[in-house]
Amino acid sequence: MEDKGVFEELGHDECLALVSTQRLGRLGVVVDGVPLVLPMGFVLDGETIVLQTNQGAKTLHAPLTSVSFEVDHVDWEQGVGWSVLIQGIGEDISTAIDERSEALRALAAHSWAPPPADRWLTIVPRSITGRRVRAS
């Protein structure tokens, strides 16, 4: 008989606390009707995901559309892991001159993108859900 894991739903605040411990997530966008998932460095500001990147599919297809962002962690030794899914609207704040956008661009978002990493995206969440799984 195969062991099954035990799932536990995470509350909103716990989801945000867990996301804040990580620096790598996965951005999900739709490009020409096909889902595209990209690893992205990020920083969390309150509930807002901030991404610094370069021009490409993510900057062309994420703004003003529904996107997903997933962050997770697994402790293989302890047999426990968690996953948080943030769903919301992508925004391109690269050239925005409002005070909030300027403050978000000043954050230390780590980008793996080759230079120039001069594009800034945010995800304003509509939904934040998460779960923890424990091996039994």
Side-chain angles (χ1 to χ4, degrees):
M1 183 191 280
E2 197 174 302
D3 285 339
K4 301 288 184 188
V6 176
F7 288 94
E8 168 192 352
E9 295 297 318
L10 300 175
H12 181 270
D13 292 342
E14 186 172 9
C15 286
L16 291 173
L18 290 169
V19 168
S20 72
T21 67
Q22 303 299 306
R23 292 294 165 246
L24 180 69
R26 290 160 200 82
L27 174 66
V29 298
V30 176
V31 178
D32 298 327
V34 178
L36 177 65
V37 178
L38 301 165
M40 302 279 299
F42 75 97
V43 66
L44 182 67
D45 184 68
E47 293 187 349
T48 301
I49 298 289
V50 182
L51 309 165
Q52 182 181 6
T53 188
N54 55 11
Q55 185 72 29
K58 57 209 163 289
T59 58
L60 295 174
H61 297 279
L64 303 178
T65 65
S66 293
V67 299
S68 295
F69 195 76
E70 190 270 346
V71 181
D72 57 39
H73 177 75
V74 175
D75 182 332
W76 296 103
E77 297 287 323
Q78 297 294 317
V80 65
W82 57 265
S83 175
V84 172
L85 180 63
I86 298 170
Q87 296 174 305
I89 300 297
E91 294 184 351
D92 185 341
I93 62 165
S94 301
T95 59
I97 59 172
D98 63 282
E99 188 175 312
R100 172 93 170 125
S101 295
E102 290 179 352
L104 291 173
R105 287 193 305 266
L107 296 174
H110 175 73
S111 175
W112 287 5
D118 59 355
R119 308 300 296 179
W120 292 84
L121 299 173
T122 62
I123 302 170
V124 177
R126 282 193 257 176
S127 169
I128 300 173
T129 59
R131 62 186 182 172
R132 177 176 288 113
V133 62
R134 297 180 196 280
S136 57

